[in-house]
Amino acid sequence: MKAPLKSLSLLAMMLLGAWLTVYLRPTQSLADFRPSIALASLVPTTFGDWKEVSQGQAQIVDPLQKAAVEASYDQTLARTYTNSQGYRIMLSIAYGKSQRGELQLHHPELCYPAQGFEVQSNRVGSLATPYGVVPVRRLETQRNHDRTEPVTYWAMVGEQVVLGSVQRKLVEIRYGLRGLVTDGLLFRVSSIDTAPNNGFDQQAAFASALLAVLTPTDRQRIAGI
């Protein structure tokens, strides 16, 4: 019964969202009431044990098509970092002022298969930090049996972390009832690692170190904590 109930819940959210779109027509952007965001300056190139390396040096190809991503968002940031042990993390952050229609966040479990990856595992987890716990989603992906890429990500819609379409729709509806169009941010880290659990541990260390050097305002904007 759980699957049908979930499907009915999602259908109800979609219908309610469609009703809001047609009859309430939110016209004000939540982003207009929040501090502006500049991803390139917000995220430092060096922090903790991590420093940025060029994509050429890293020899890691981002599986998302750059042109398509940039067309969907107001800002994107893609960097590769390495630590003192030589472990490399790919960071991708995308921000959109509006979450309407085609401008909605593109979640990795959909984007990776479009680039030839198989999602072998998709589970919800948490990232514990001194500032609070961030809900995250962790994927194990593989392409052509020669590239294993664990992925950790979370999405911000407005001021709340969401990990699925139902959650996202509920948040959008809540803002829509106030006449507001939500903004959205996707934070993703990944690495090439044949031991996915090690990859997730490294990604957690990276994300925690990054959040630790952000201002409280920026940390709230990036991770809701």
Side-chain angles (χ1 to χ4, degrees):
M1 294 295 293
K2 290 184 178 180
L5 287 175
K6 183 177 180 180
S7 298
L8 288 173
S9 297
L10 179 57
L11 176 61
M13 293 304 102
M14 293 174 65
L15 291 174
L16 182 55
W19 180 86
L20 287 171
T21 299
V22 173
Y23 292 99
L24 296 186
R25 295 187 181 279
T27 56
Q28 291 183 303
S29 174
L30 176 64
D32 293 338
F33 299 93
R34 308 179 73 188
S36 61
I37 185 170
L39 296 178
S41 57
L42 184 153
V43 180
T45 56
T46 302
F47 56 91
D49 190 33
W50 300 91
K51 64 179 181 179
E52 183 187 10
V53 296
S54 71
Q55 292 288 346
Q57 287 177 299
Q59 294 183 340
I60 296 177
V61 178
D62 191 328
L64 300 179
Q65 292 180 337
K66 184 178 180 181
V69 171
E70 291 181 347
S72 300
Y73 301 108
D74 295 298
Q75 293 185 56
T76 61
L77 178 70
R79 292 179 183 165
T80 301
Y81 290 79
T82 185
N83 64 9
S84 57
Q85 283 73 50
Y87 195 88
R88 288 167 176 165
I89 295 283
M90 292 173 286
L91 168 68
S92 177
I93 306 177
Y95 172 77
K97 186 176 179 180
S98 172
Q99 284 300 288
R100 282 179 167 173
E102 294 301 317
L103 300 180
Q104 292 192 351
L105 299 174
H106 301 282
H107 291 198
E109 60 264 38
L110 301 178
C111 296
Y112 269 65
Q115 298 301 314
F117 283 78
E118 177 186 353
V119 178
Q120 298 178 319
S121 173
N122 180 346
R123 60 185 184 270
V124 172
S126 60
L127 173 67
T129 79
Y131 315 99
V133 176
V134 183
V136 302
R137 190 171 289 278
R138 295 189 174 103
L139 312 176
E140 295 181 28
T141 74
Q142 189 175 77
R143 185 174 65 184
N144 299 330
H145 303 288
D146 61 1
R147 178 183 172 116
T148 301
E149 185 172 335
V151 181
T152 301
Y153 84 89
W154 66 80
M156 294 290 301
V157 173
E159 300 170 315
Q160 183 174 327
V161 174
V162 298
L163 296 181
S165 57
V166 173
Q167 275 188 317
R168 181 173 70 182
K169 186 57 66 178
L170 286 171
V171 174
E172 291 173 355
I173 290 172
R174 190 173 72 239
Y175 281 108
L177 291 170
R178 295 162 53 191
L180 295 172
V181 178
T182 58
D183 58 354
L185 181 146
L186 183 73
F187 181 103
R188 172 177 65 83
V189 285
S190 64
S191 51
I192 297 177
D193 197 324
T194 55
N197 287 335
N198 179 65
F200 294 139
D201 289 343
Q202 295 280 1
Q203 293 161 18
F206 174 89
S208 295
L210 173 56
L211 293 175
V213 300
L214 299 181
T215 67
T217 298
D218 289 340
R219 190 165 54 245
Q220 172 68 31
R221 194 67 175 275
I222 292 292
I225 56 175

